[in-house]
Amino acid sequence: MALAAACALTPAAVLAANPGPGAADPPATRAPTAAASTDAALGRLLNSTPELIVTGRRLNLALLRRFYARHGVAPVWSTRKAQANALLNAVLHASEHGLDPDLFHADLLRSVATLPPAYGELLLSDAFLSYADALARGAMPVERRRDDEVLAPAPIDVAAALDAAIASPDPAAVIEALAPATPTYRLLRQALQRSDAMPADHRRAIEVNLERERWLPRPLPPDRVWVNAADEQLVLYRNDQPVFSTKVIVGQDEQRNQSPEFAATITGIFFNPPWNIPPDIATNEILPKINGDPNYLARHNMVMLPGGGVQQLAGPNSGLGQLMFQMQNRFDVYLHDTPSKNLFGRTDRRISHGCIRVEDPRELAALVMQQPIDAIDQKIAAGATTLNALPRPVPVFVVYQTAFADDDGRLQFRPDVYRRDGEIWTYLHPDRRSLVQRDASGQPGG
């Protein structure tokens, strides 16, 4: 707290280098010259270089250009000392969101008064913009994540958000409102304040899952299907309240078979679906068995397709079971039934190739189809392969939360079986990269 209090005094020292209206005015003949010099320097820095580096730190030039285009490429903070102080204080307390303040140049801002005015101006703006961006969509952008971590909120104009903060009587509150407002985010932030008394790995899980929450849409759809691969559970929400939950089987620990993190929309249900076996499974698992057993196809109700593909025909023993939830996505991952009901009795249910097998798919189907279970059973009993559209599409989220709020508002932790937390934590704490690399040697990357 003493350090934070000391740091909070920094903006006054910073802005003293650029006195604005109401400050102790220098001689009238000098002020226009200083302002003109700063304006010119800003223009040169923003428009005449392919990248902008201040004291060894690369700034987001494209974002800065958008912000200053809204201000006529003129200094902002020399005439807005109170707003700058409030925003800088928020940046210096970024750790309350599980974010390292040094991600937003806090280490440099403590001595920014020693920089030329234009450089100090840009450093402040970059800090505020990058902090707002981190709260709005996560500090770790999609392009820096693994290929199977693609959750993201809707785009936001961070430059406009910072301007809205400047115009507000409480600039910090406007920026802080860009963060999620979910029960999990609130509970994780509360837990972070008590994390010194927790194991070391729990604090890391809290920080990492605060970041994962920032990858989610704002707000979440009130009606949604929620699958947490780390918890191996599915929950259906209506009006943001859980109305149904069931166990699921998710992808194996091996990276190529892990269940990805993504959002899709359930648009319909296939009843009695055949299973077009994915090419990698067919090549690596099915074809070798066919070569060793000429009767393998017949015994498993499979046929060869033109082009060499393999299909398992519809039936009670189909790998997809008796129904599959249609949800187009780039991973070809679906929710579906399974004939192997005994597998849901396992503690470890990470045994699929990435798809999500649902323990009670009939009840889930009845709820999203808004029909009684008897109607679902009749469609199955008919035996025909049919696709029935939902009366209203339902968003589905497949997430990987190793720390989260359960339906009773209690904090839950799950093991990081997919070994994804370390990479995110490293990004949030660049200074600790070597520690994480030693701890997670051999961890697959994105």
Side-chain angles (χ1 to χ4, degrees), residues 183-201:
T184 286
Y185 198 81
R186 290 196 298 268
L187 188 62
L188 289 174
R189 285 195 66 191
Q190 293 168 9
L192 191 61
Q193 306 309 308
R194 308 186 303 271
S195 61
D196 288 344
M198 297 180 178
D201 59 335

Side-chain angles (χ1 to χ4, degrees), residues 81-87 161-175:
K81 297 178 185 179
Q83 293 93 326
N85 289 342
L87 291 168
L162 182 54
D163 271 342
I166 292 172
S168 165
D170 191 347
V174 174
I175 296 300

Side-chain angles (χ1 to χ4, degrees), residues 400-422:
Y400 181 76
Q401 294 181 312
T402 53
F404 59 95
D406 66 17
D407 294 336
D408 295 321
R410 296 173 300 190
L411 183 61
Q412 298 287 340
F413 292 94
R414 296 294 181 267
D416 178 23
V417 291
Y418 283 174
R419 304 185 71 185
R420 294 179 180 175
D421 285 8

Side-chain angles (χ1 to χ4, degrees), residues 268-286:
I269 298 178
F270 276 107
F271 292 94
N272 303 303
W275 181 30
N276 292 320
I277 299 174
D280 59 331
I281 299 178
T283 300
N284 297 325
E285 300 181 26
I286 304 300

Side-chain angles (χ1 to χ4, degrees), residues 250-259 280 352-354 418:
V250 298
Q252 301 166 13
D253 295 350
E254 184 182 357
Q255 186 182 13
R256 67 187 183 92
N257 289 329
Q258 294 177 2
S259 295
D280 59 331
S352 81
H353 290 85
Y418 283 174

